[in-house]
Amino acid sequence: MPESTPVKRTLGVCYYPEHWPEAQWAQDAARMAETGLTWVRIGEFAWSRMEPKPGQTDFGWLDRAIDTLGAHGLKVVLGTPTATPPRWVVEKYPDMLALDKDGRVRGFGSRRHYCFSHRGYRAECARIVGLLAERYGANRFVAAWQTDNEYGCHDTTLSYSPPALAAFRDWLAKKYPSPQLLNQAWGNVFWSMEYESFDEVGLPNLTVTEPNPSHVMDFRRFASDEVVAFNRIQTEIIRKFSAAPIAHNYMGRVTDFDHFAVGKDLDIASWDSYPLGFLSDRIEVTPEHKLHFMRQGDPDNQAFHHDLYRAVGRGRWWIMEQQPGPVNWAPYNPDPLPGMARLWAWEAFAHGAETVSYFRWRQAPFAQEQMHAGLLRPDSVAAPALAEAAQVARELTGMPDAATGKAEVALVFDYASAWAWKTQPQGRDFDYFRLVTSVYRGLRGLGLNIDIIAPDTADLSPWKLVLIPGLATLSGPLAAALAAFGGQALFGPRTNAKTADFAIPVPLPPNLPGLDCTVARVESLPPDAQVPLVGGGAIIHWHEVLEGTADVVLSSASGAPVIMRSGGLSYIGGWLDPVALAQVLRAHCSQLGIPVTEMPYGLRRRDSATHRFLFNYNAAPVHFEGITIAGAGVHWRPL
Ligand code: GAL
């Protein structure tokens, strides 16, 4: 990870001046400053107020809002409003609305109602972004930008609309020199799916049974490229007028587009962290775990995303939206334990965040998110998180600049592999994100710092141990880096199991030079099925039959090879349960001289460049290494 210049750690908040009477703005700004906040993100949904009618703009209110915030010493993150095109834009381009997989229009009346491929909508976005950039590019209070809002939120990356179809055909014609080569790449001879022209290719929905997986994969690659192109239009315009850094606010567990590719056009990666919402509906854990951490959030989920977005941001990352109290959108929306709004912020800082910005300043009494807490209640009385934010602000004054701690372990994360295993799970429970996060949990349970790295990482020398689970296709740069790597690499299951065209490679996977190990057969396992292993633990969800002459370092209870190894390369032929995984990780760390600590349940550790942090996600205190950490408490000491 490149060294970033030290940046002061700061707090911020998301604010919607257009929701409140102008007379209130100055009081709000004064109170934000008094709380110790530095940043205020505004503007990202305000297009109907910036341009109420086509070409009829009104930026006066935004000028005054920015001035008011700036006058109180606050810095503004200005959002481009393209996630919420107003009604008149939709009237102008009725076909800009996305179609879902079933061909239904995703209509006006909430947000993100656009198809990334619609050229007219892109031009409209370029226009409004150009107006904003020109007007505020040199504004001394506008110190950062945010493009759009949460690309992919509400399942909006993939659109099956006519503009998407036209753009997909163009994309294919650029990728493949001829329809015959497309046919060959996709294997279209199967079921007589061959095409004579790119114009005959449709979108991979509304087929009788499953579409060709190579077709689906190309459609997903195309859709991801469309997000990159859409975002790039905005960054290129903003950069013409402004030297301020540009961010986008990504989400938790959204894998439909390649965030690394989008991130290359941005200066800062940020993500929106809603620990209780995620635990309630986006993580596969037991009901007991959900209950135990219901008011705290999963102890590993935030950290995983922090490490992921540090990689996406090439070292620079923020929390753009931090949950302050109950949200409105999960199946159940409990109140966080007192202390969690502080703990979550400190955990982000421990992982290298520059800024943590709470969502939102004041709870809105109207519209979709009226049940979503803010730092203030709708009546402006402080909600519990306000005092916690103020406490973090005070504590920050005694802390050094943001600086990421060193990790000896790296874990590869690849968006295309998430698409691959969504396209062909071959078993209901095989989910790439779940697989990678299960490995991440295992590492965190041993108290380790972890770097998440991109699938085209070309130099592995900073790490001793590199884990590469489920990487569908090994990239050229990573293969070269592995050949030069002096540490230990742990692959599998399903690593290098597909060609770039999404076919089974021959020689069969994993086909790793220097490791004579072949996956002869695979099987997926239903929920309660297990393949028990020698020494305890078991394979769950996914099991591979391995052949070859490499050393067998772990076997199943029935004597079949489960991990095969040669020199620094090891291949795991299955999805290890937490017990087996911990044993394998411990053994590798001990061989590599990486110190591990068995972390107590719900207690997590992270070293920044200067401090060791402990986060107690339990409601009850934990005693650990001679100290007591209060429930929902944070402890740190200089390294
Ligand atoms: C985020 C979004 C915000 C707000 C928030 C509520 O997904 O960016 O605009 O909707 O969720 O939790």
Side-chain angles (χ1 to χ4, degrees), residues 26-329:
Q27 290 162 39
D28 282 342
R31 211 165 164 194
M32 289 171 193
E34 199 182 284
T35 307
L37 308 182
T38 300
W39 292 92
V40 187
R41 185 196 63 178
I42 63 170
E44 82 278 10
F45 299 127
W47 196 338
S48 70
R49 290 298 171 94
M50 295 174 186
E51 192 178 21
K53 296 204 170 101
Q56 192 182 305
T57 54
D58 177 6
F59 289 114
W61 69 271
L62 189 54
D63 295 348
R64 293 191 298 278
I66 292 172
D67 283 349
T68 306
L69 295 167
H72 288 84
L74 298 159
K75 296 197 224 182
V76 170
V77 181
L78 187 54
T80 67
T82 52
T84 49
R87 183 70 219 183
W88 63 260
V89 177
V90 181
E91 295 296 330
K92 186 169 170 187
Y93 299 113
D95 62 342
M96 65 172 273
L97 299 172
L99 299 193
D100 72 9
K101 213 174 183 164
D102 298 323
R104 283 181 310 228
V105 177
R106 308 203 67 192
F108 183 84
S110 65
R111 62 178 172 184
R112 299 212 54 74
H113 42 282
Y114 69 82
C115 169
F116 281 100
S117 298
H118 193 277
R119 295 320 189 242
Y121 185 56
R122 284 191 185 184
E124 212 61 58
C125 292
R127 199 182 47 74
I128 188 75
V129 172
L131 291 173
L132 278 174
E134 203 173 341
R135 191 174 188 96
Y136 300 108
N139 186 299
R140 65 199 163 107
F141 303 131
V142 175
W145 295 82
Q146 175 187 296
T147 54
D148 202 279
N149 189 79
E150 292 191 337
Y151 292 136
C153 182
H154 315 305
D155 267 327
T156 50
T157 303
L158 303 176
S159 160
Y160 298 84
S161 70
L165 173 60
F168 181 48
R169 288 174 175 164
D170 289 346
W171 186 92
L172 291 172
K174 282 198 191 99
K175 176 168 179 180
Y176 297 101
S178 68
Q180 289 67 36
L181 287 168
L182 177 149
N183 288 330
Q184 199 181 317
W186 290 7
N188 280 341
V189 59
F190 195 78
W191 289 352
S192 278
M193 296 179 292
E194 287 165 302
Y195 300 107
E196 283 295 315
S197 121
F198 292 112
D199 289 339
E200 292 175 356
V201 183
L203 295 175
N205 65 328
L206 302 175
T207 48
V208 173
T209 182
E210 62 174 307
N212 184 334
S214 301
H215 186 174
V216 176
M217 280 302 283
D218 263 346
F219 181 59
R220 284 187 163 275
R221 290 185 191 107
F222 152 79
S224 178
D225 286 356
E226 292 291 85
V227 179
V228 174
F230 184 91
N231 183 66
R232 186 173 296 152
I233 292 170
Q234 302 202 7
T235 57
E236 282 177 351
I237 294 170
I238 294 168
R239 290 195 200 286
K240 279 192 201 144
F241 299 97
S242 171
I246 311 176
H248 174 74
N249 58 332
Y250 305 103
M251 302 178 70
R253 203 175 181 163
V254 165
T255 53
D256 283 342
F257 64 92
D258 185 344
H259 294 43
F260 290 113
V262 171
K264 285 186 182 142
D265 292 321
L266 298 167
D267 306 293
I268 298 171
S270 73
W271 80 284
D272 297 343
S273 179
Y274 292 94
L276 305 193
F278 291 137
L279 179 63
S280 177
D281 102 324
R282 291 192 195 157
I283 312 179
E284 299 90 349
V285 286
T286 62
E288 297 73 36
H289 183 98
K290 285 200 180 187
L291 206 56
H292 185 84
F293 295 112
M294 142 185 136
R295 299 184 187 283
Q296 303 96 298
D298 178 79
D300 295 312
N301 182 58
Q302 289 67 253
F304 175 84
H305 288 93
H306 298 340
D307 291 342
L308 174 62
Y309 289 118
R310 191 172 67 250
V312 169
R314 299 179 311 283
R316 288 200 71 182
W317 73 279
W318 291 21
I319 297 284
M320 194 61 89
E321 299 180 12
Q322 175 63 65
Q323 176 165 0
V327 300
N328 63 303
W329 46 263

Side-chain angles (χ1 to χ4, degrees), residues 575-616:
W575 183 315
L576 301 181
D577 75 357
V579 172
L581 178 68
Q583 283 168 8
V584 170
L585 294 175
R586 249 185 251 121
H588 272 78
C589 288
S590 119
Q591 284 163 24
L592 290 162
I594 303 172
V596 301
T597 307
E598 302 290 334
M599 298 303 294
Y601 186 63
L603 187 74
R604 287 295 179 252
R605 177 166 92 181
R606 167 83 200 181
D607 290 346
S608 74
T610 55
H611 289 74
R612 167 155 291 184
F613 288 86
L614 292 167
F615 301 97
N616 185 7

Side-chain angles (χ1 to χ4, degrees), residues 452-471:
I452 292 182
I453 60 174
D456 58 354
T457 301
D459 176 15
L460 297 174
S461 61
W463 302 283
K464 290 184 178 166
L465 176 63
V466 176
L467 295 116
I468 312 176
L471 180 69

Side-chain angles (χ1 to χ4, degrees), residues 336-386:
L337 279 187
M340 289 313 294
R342 169 176 175 256
L343 183 152
W344 294 325
W346 272 113
E347 191 172 38
F349 290 129
H351 285 253
E354 295 175 8
T355 297
V356 174
S357 162
Y358 290 93
F359 181 91
R360 51 186 278 157
W361 176 243
R362 185 186 294 101
Q363 180 173 353
F366 45 77
Q368 279 93 330
E369 293 181 350
Q370 53 186 267
M371 299 304 289
H372 193 298
L375 293 181
L376 303 186
R377 303 189 322 204
D379 61 0
S380 295
V381 171
L386 187 76

